[in-house]
């Protein structure tokens, strides 16, 4: 969550972002499902910490989006045989679990 934290701090100092239509973002997904899951947990744990830090400055929870994400995890269970679905499911499950763990650690509700 360091990138999100930096963006909040930069904006709170009065700077604004602009679009860069030609920008390219490359990301590398880990090949192992366990690594993907652990990375999802780590990413998910950042959300509650950032929410606790910036909620008084405008950060908000997306409870509807969270509910949809949890519902998606259940709905796609029958399709976990497909590699692309399985990898996405493992990542999303890790993020959701990380949010719950982070919520407990930070003592905020950020599912």
């Amino acid at each position: 969550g360091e990138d999100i934290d930096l963006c909040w701090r930069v904006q709170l100092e009065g700077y604004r972002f602009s679009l860069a239509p030609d920008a390219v973002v490359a990301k590398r997904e880990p090949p192992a499902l366990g690594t993907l899951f652990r990375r999802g947990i780590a990413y998910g744990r950042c959300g509650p910490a950032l929410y606790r830090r910036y909620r008084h400055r405008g950060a908000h929870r997306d409870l509807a989006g969270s509910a949809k994400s949890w519902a998606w995890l259940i709905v796609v269970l029958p399709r976990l045989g497909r590699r692309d679905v399985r990898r996405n499911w493992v990542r999303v499950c890790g993020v959701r679990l990380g949010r719950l763990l982070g919520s407990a650690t930070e003592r905020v509700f950020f599912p």
Side-chain angles (χ1 to χ4, degrees):
E2 299 92 0
D3 53 346
I4 298 170
D5 185 49
L6 175 63
C7 290
W8 269 98
R9 288 186 285 130
V10 166
Q11 288 180 87
L12 290 172
E13 287 296 319
Y15 295 95
R16 298 291 167 238
F17 294 101
S18 62
L19 294 176
D22 296 331
V24 176
V25 176
K27 71 176 195 172
R28 202 176 327 169
E29 291 287 339
L33 290 179
T35 305
L36 187 62
F37 183 68
R38 286 187 297 276
R39 185 179 287 179
I41 290 175
Y43 183 78
R45 290 181 75 114
C46 296
L50 291 169
Y51 174 69
R52 182 185 50 77
R53 189 174 303 150
Y54 295 109
R55 65 184 166 188
H56 302 296
R57 304 298 300 264
H60 65 278
R61 299 175 286 207
D62 180 9
L63 299 178
S66 177
K68 287 179 185 177
S69 187
W70 281 105
W72 179 85
L73 286 170
I74 295 166
V75 168
V76 300
L77 281 173
R79 297 191 342 234
L80 286 183
R82 291 183 37 198
R83 184 177 187 273
D84 59 328
V85 173
R86 185 173 51 247
R87 290 186 60 76
N88 197 32
W89 190 91
V90 165
R91 183 186 56 78
V92 171
C93 186
V95 170
R96 291 291 130 200
L97 179 58
R99 290 240 175 131
L100 293 178
L101 295 170
S103 290
T105 302
E106 299 295 330
R107 297 192 171 140
V108 296
F109 181 63
F110 194 83

Short mmCIF file of all heavy atoms in Angstrom, two decimals, residues 15 44 69 75 95:
data_model
loop_
_atom_site.label_atom_id
_atom_site.label_comp_id
_atom_site.label_asym_id
_atom_site.label_seq_id
_atom_site.Cartn_x
_atom_site.Cartn_y
_atom_site.Cartn_z
N TYR A 15 -1.17 18.79 -4.41
CA TYR A 15 -0.83 18.42 -5.79
C TYR A 15 -1.98 17.63 -6.40
O TYR A 15 -2.73 16.97 -5.72
CB TYR A 15 0.46 17.59 -5.84
CG TYR A 15 1.66 18.36 -5.39
CD1 TYR A 15 2.10 18.29 -4.07
CD2 TYR A 15 2.36 19.17 -6.28
CE1 TYR A 15 3.20 19.01 -3.64
CE2 TYR A 15 3.47 19.89 -5.86
CZ TYR A 15 3.88 19.79 -4.54
OH TYR A 15 4.97 20.50 -4.12
N GLY A 44 -4.17 -6.98 0.85
CA GLY A 44 -5.42 -6.75 1.56
C GLY A 44 -5.22 -6.13 2.93
O GLY A 44 -6.03 -5.32 3.38
N SER A 69 -17.67 -8.81 -3.92
CA SER A 69 -16.45 -9.61 -4.02
C SER A 69 -16.59 -10.92 -3.24
O SER A 69 -16.20 -11.99 -3.72
CB SER A 69 -15.27 -8.78 -3.50
OG SER A 69 -14.07 -9.45 -3.71
N VAL A 75 -19.84 -17.77 -5.73
CA VAL A 75 -20.51 -18.10 -6.99
C VAL A 75 -19.58 -18.85 -7.95
O VAL A 75 -20.01 -19.76 -8.66
CB VAL A 75 -21.07 -16.82 -7.65
CG1 VAL A 75 -21.50 -17.07 -9.08
CG2 VAL A 75 -22.21 -16.28 -6.83
N VAL A 95 -6.84 -11.32 -0.86
CA VAL A 95 -7.11 -9.90 -0.55
C VAL A 95 -8.21 -9.79 0.49
O VAL A 95 -8.11 -9.03 1.46
CB VAL A 95 -7.47 -9.12 -1.83
CG1 VAL A 95 -7.98 -7.72 -1.47
CG2 VAL A 95 -6.27 -9.02 -2.76
#
